Amino acid sequence: MGLNPESRARFNLERASVLLLEESQMGMSILVQILTGFGARTLHRCETVDEAKDAIAKVEVDLIICDTLGAGGEGYDFIEWLRRSRIEPNCFAPVLLTAGHTPSNAVARARDCGAHFVMAKPLTPIAVLERILWIAREGRRFVECDTYMGPDRRFKNEGVPAGMVGRRRDDLHGEIGQAETPNMDQEVIDSLMKTRRVEL
């Protein structure tokens, strides 16, 4: 994305309600400083998963920033619980997951638990802002099936790969008069997707 640090564009989270789940005092302090710098006034600070679950049941949130919470990965479990909780609208809230280390298996786990994005620490204000804006702009639909609930894990919608059979009901096969159209133009995909609803 690459925001210009010299930009004079304004961004304000004054009306947003943000839940922060971070067990470290230093980590929480950094998050609070970053978000108050963006104008956020309503911050729900949680040090444990139990506190976060309690907050989710009581208040409506617009954004969740959650740490993986150590080697046990309780943060991933919290996000999975959140998505399956059916506590609306919070179960659909955007989630930014933070982690001290982001090897590929951690990124895959973040994707599979229902997080929108994973960020490696240390966090910087501009990096956090980039991710918040990216989540706000992308507008990924939510998918629900037996094994997953969360934002569509596909970052691109380029159709089914050549030679492959789609696994989803809304995968686009030959819908524009061709026997097999594994990779349609993006404009065609977008126009067809506007009228579809994900059902797995």
Side-chain angles (χ1 to χ4, degrees):
M1 180 188 251
L3 288 178
N4 180 351
E6 304 300 320
S7 171
R8 294 191 179 271
R10 296 189 179 264
F11 178 80
N12 196 330
L13 288 176
E14 182 178 341
R15 296 181 183 175
S17 174
V18 185
L19 185 141
L20 306 175
L21 175 54
E22 170 62 67
E23 62 185 353
S24 135
Q25 287 185 349
M26 180 180 287
M28 181 67 78
S29 176
I30 290 168
L31 282 174
V32 168
Q33 288 178 38
I34 289 172
L35 291 166
T36 55
F38 297 149
R41 293 182 179 177
T42 309
L43 300 175
H44 307 281
R45 305 172 199 192
C46 304
E47 295 179 6
T48 68
V49 168
D50 288 338
E51 288 177 15
K53 286 180 178 181
D54 190 49
I56 288 294
K58 292 178 179 175
V59 298
E60 187 174 321
V61 296
D62 301 301
L63 173 67
I64 298 170
I65 301 179
C66 170
D67 184 67
T68 56
L69 299 179
E74 291 179 74
Y76 301 108
D77 297 334
F78 167 72
I79 297 169
E80 270 188 344
W81 169 85
L82 170 74
R83 297 302 187 212
R84 297 281 181 191
S85 71
R86 306 283 184 188
I87 300 172
E88 292 189 23
N90 291 343
C91 63
F92 301 110
V95 178
L96 178 59
L97 185 70
T98 63
H101 303 286
T102 54
S104 59
N105 63 330
V107 173
R109 190 171 177 193
R111 176 200 67 206
D112 293 342
C113 74
H116 279 77
F117 210 93
V118 62
M119 277 190 75
K121 294 179 178 181
L123 303 177
T124 62
I126 194 147
V128 172
L129 177 58
E130 284 178 343
R131 298 309 178 257
I132 292 172
L133 291 175
W134 183 85
I135 289 169
R137 288 179 182 155
E138 67 164 349
R140 282 189 286 168
R141 297 174 304 161
F142 262 67
V143 175
E144 181 176 359
C145 66
D146 292 341
T147 57
Y148 176 76
M149 181 173 175
D152 191 337
R153 293 178 283 195
R154 298 175 290 186
F155 279 77
K156 295 180 182 178
N157 194 347
E158 297 176 343
V160 181
M164 301 295 288
V165 176
R167 297 178 295 156
R168 299 174 182 187
R169 289 183 188 161
D170 69 339
D171 280 331
L172 306 172
H173 305 282
E175 293 194 26
I176 55 173
Q178 298 175 4
E180 288 188 23
T181 312
N183 288 307
M184 289 186 269
D185 291 336
Q186 189 64 44
E187 289 177 16
V188 175
I189 292 170
D190 291 342
S191 69
L192 290 170
M193 295 303 282
K194 285 179 185 174
T195 61
R196 292 175 173 266
R197 182 173 163 261
V198 174
E199 294 178 4
L200 298 178

